Amino acid sequence: MKHNSRIVVLASGRGSNFTAIAAAIESAEIPGTIVRLVTDNPVAPAIEIANQRGIPVQVIDCGSRRGRIRMAARPLLLKCLADADAIACAGFMRILPPSIVRAHPARILNVHPSLLPAFPGLESPRQAIEYGVRVAGCTVHFVDEGTDTGPIIFQAAVPVDASDTPETLAARILPHEHRLYVSALRLLCQGRLTIRGRQVIIEDEEQT
Ligand code: GAR
């Protein structure tokens, strides 16, 4: 990949992963530039974060069906991603359609607040508590045509306490998301990630 990758971030909400990525770019930890933030939520706090950092924002009306991107929104989304070397889903609560995933092979990353393949989809910390697991965590993975099913790059585990609520568990997981997402995006931008079957091979892994 190029020395200065063009990165598009997709986010729906708070934007803490977006902030972690933007900070890592500013400190030159990630060799790239965020060329735009794309959001499906016109009141996402992530928009204000982008504005403060001078990052262009595109709001796309993805429709009211939870998790889906309506057909009419797809051409604009494709256009917003067309110049990207790397695409980072950072709390983007929509499933990318196959046409978009196929247009960007091995270029789209996602962070998910569970140890995949456990608890894909929405409200993963709540799912983990309700299931009764003792260990939870997060996963950074490539996006494929499924829901949270793509090849795994990094995972981190945290304990689940008996007193945890979905909020306290999510808060324990979050710093690990930020750390792993920055590491994975750096490797992608450095061209050091290769997908082989379901496995992700990291070039010079000892230097991560
Ligand atoms: C993060 O915990 C992320 O893992 C999760 O949404 C949160 C967004 O936080 N994503 C998913 O659940 C995707 N299925 P942020 O807006 O502060 O980065």
Side-chain angles (χ1 to χ4, degrees):
M1 200 170 281
K2 292 187 227 154
H3 287 303
N4 192 353
S5 301
R6 296 171 64 84
I7 299 165
V8 175
V9 177
L10 303 177
S12 298
R14 181 178 54 186
S16 72
N17 278 286
F18 172 42
T19 302
I21 292 166
I25 286 170
E26 283 164 16
S27 67
E29 200 180 334
I30 295 175
T33 304
I34 301 178
V35 293
R36 86 188 47 84
L37 171 75
V38 176
T39 182
D40 58 332
N41 176 6
V43 295
I47 294 174
E48 184 52 35
I49 295 166
N51 289 341
Q52 283 166 4
R53 293 177 186 261
I55 296 168
V57 176
Q58 176 72 57
V59 180
I60 299 181
D61 177 1
C62 291
S64 56
R65 270 187 67 193
R66 207 176 182 212
R68 301 277 303 164
I69 297 174
R70 69 193 174 105
M71 283 293 181
R74 296 181 186 187
L76 177 56
L77 182 55
L78 256 176
K79 196 169 156 227
C80 287
L81 301 178
D83 59 350
D85 299 311
I87 298 163
C89 298
F92 187 61
M93 298 304 182
R94 306 265 179 173
I95 296 158
L96 294 178
S99 57
I100 287 179
V101 175
R102 284 190 212 123
H104 296 281
R107 268 208 293 266
I108 312 176
L109 301 187
N110 183 43
V111 63
H112 185 76
S114 79
L115 291 173
L116 291 171
F119 313 126
L122 297 173
E123 300 192 63
S124 303
R126 179 183 301 282
Q127 292 186 56
I129 289 170
E130 286 175 0
Y131 196 91
V133 294
R134 300 284 184 163
V135 177
C138 59
T139 304
V140 178
H141 63 95
F142 280 106
V143 172
D144 67 6
E145 293 180 30
T147 302
D148 303 323
T149 51
I152 291 169
I153 303 166
F154 289 128
Q155 293 185 301
V158 303
V160 181
D161 295 340
S163 61
D164 266 329
T165 64
E167 292 73 28
T168 60
L169 180 56
R172 191 174 306 121
I173 293 169
L174 196 62
H176 296 281
E177 295 189 24
H178 299 162
R179 179 173 55 82
L180 296 188
Y181 213 154
V182 166
S183 296
L185 191 55
R186 186 182 67 234
L187 291 171
L188 180 67
C189 293
Q190 291 173 335
R192 290 169 59 195
L193 298 179
T194 307
I195 302 173
R196 207 170 290 157
R198 278 217 52 87
Q199 292 183 347
V200 176
I201 313 300
I202 301 174
E203 193 183 303
D204 296 327
E205 189 162 3
E206 61 283 358
Q207 291 169 32
T208 54

